[in-house]
């Protein structure tokens, strides 16, 4: 049974790029007769905006998405993330780290953590992060749109943070624990997370979890070429005329619904989309960039 999911963080209201990711994952789940789960990734309170969670749920309803089962909130699942961390610590696969970003930067280290605390760390007044050990064997997977993609984590990312110094669990860990717990078989999301996937596969292997398949969708960019982002204040979805915006999202994903459906009730556009969705129509990656040319979000910025 195919199980897909949509997993927005409540760092702001949904924007057109968020809608594209939701539409792609939803239609792919339904095309395969699968379930589509909704998970609110609310594990980073310092970055969350008041009201964003309710806006997201309302927007998904207005746009006519129908998710299966109850909405899962990551803020209620921290015990599971902590259990995974204890498991990794007990196996010697993770370790406490007292190096702050500022401290590393001042010593000329870039975004790749050089493993300073691998052999132990002195108690630190501001507490410790927990990092997971990486290795230099390539970790690869076949993305359904991008094709093969691999990283050597130790060299390209370094041991990455799974629990931050402020005590919050990192996205990379929570997403892996939850995708497995919810039985997700395919992750369909924006391609900004392509370069996070080898880290997630690494964690799946260390924790003995199954690796789902992956499909990374094209990103919606603004006029300057930056990804639309909730955190940088991309325009919220207009909830007044959902059919027009949904039509645009389908067009962005390579589909051409009849023009008249822009003015029809949104459920008529869904009927068309469910009958015509074809993932091979999604535009291919814009150019053949080598994996190392893709900006890799650092463990700390994604965590
Ligand atoms: N929570 C992430 C976001 O809103 C998406 C995570 C994922 O799909 O793996 O960007």
């Amino acid at each position: 049974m195919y199980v897909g999911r949509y997993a927005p963080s409540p760092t702001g209201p949904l924007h057109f790029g968020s809608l594209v990711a939701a539409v792609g994952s939803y239609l792919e789940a339904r095309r395969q007769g699968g379930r589509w789960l909704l998970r609110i990734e609310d594990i980073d309170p310092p970055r969350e905006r008041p009201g964003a969670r309710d806006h997201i749920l309302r927007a998904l309803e207005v746009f006519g998405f129908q998710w299966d089962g109850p909405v899962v909130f990551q803020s209620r699942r921290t015990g599971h993330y902590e259990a995974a961390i204890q498991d990794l610590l007990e196996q010697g696969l993770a370790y406490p780290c007292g190096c702050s970003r500022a401290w590393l930067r001042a010593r000329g280290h870039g975004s790749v953590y050089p493993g300073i605390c691998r052999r132990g760390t002195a108690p630190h007044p501001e507490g410790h992060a927990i990092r997971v050990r990486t290795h230099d064997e390539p970790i690869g997977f076949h993305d359904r749109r991008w094709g093969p993609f691999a990283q050597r984590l130790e060299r390209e990312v370094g041991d990455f943070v799974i629990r931050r110094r402020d005590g919050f669990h990192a996205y990379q860990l929570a997403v892996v624990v939850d995708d497995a717990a919810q039985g997700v078989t395919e992750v369909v999301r924006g391609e900004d997370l392509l370069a996070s996937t080898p880290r997630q596969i690494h964690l799946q292997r260390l924790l003995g979890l199954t690796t789902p398949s992956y499909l990374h969708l094209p990103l919606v960019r603004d006029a300057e070429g930056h990804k639309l982002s909730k955190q940088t204040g991309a325009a919220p979805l207009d909830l007044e005329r959902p059919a027009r915006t949904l039509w645009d999202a389908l067009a962005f994903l390579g589909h051409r619904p009849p023009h008249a459906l822009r003015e029809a009730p949104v459920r008529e556009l869904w009927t068309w989309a469910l009958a015509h969705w074809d993932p091979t129509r999604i535009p291919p990656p814009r150019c053949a960039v080598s994996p190392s040319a893709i900006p890799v979000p650092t463990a700390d910025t994604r965590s």
Side-chain angles (χ1 to χ4, degrees), residues 5 7-9 41 171 175 189 193 230 302:
R5 51 58 157 191
S9 308
E41 301 209 318
Y171 156 74
V175 77
R189 61 186 176 189
L193 293 168
K230 296 190 213 94
R302 276 299 323 170

Side-chain angles (χ1 to χ4, degrees), residues 158-178:
D159 297 349
F160 53 96
V161 172
I162 51 177
R163 189 175 74 211
R164 301 187 328 212
R165 249 146 54 105
D166 59 12
F168 292 115
H169 296 106
Y171 156 74
Q172 306 291 359
L173 178 82
V175 77
V176 160
V177 169
D178 286 349

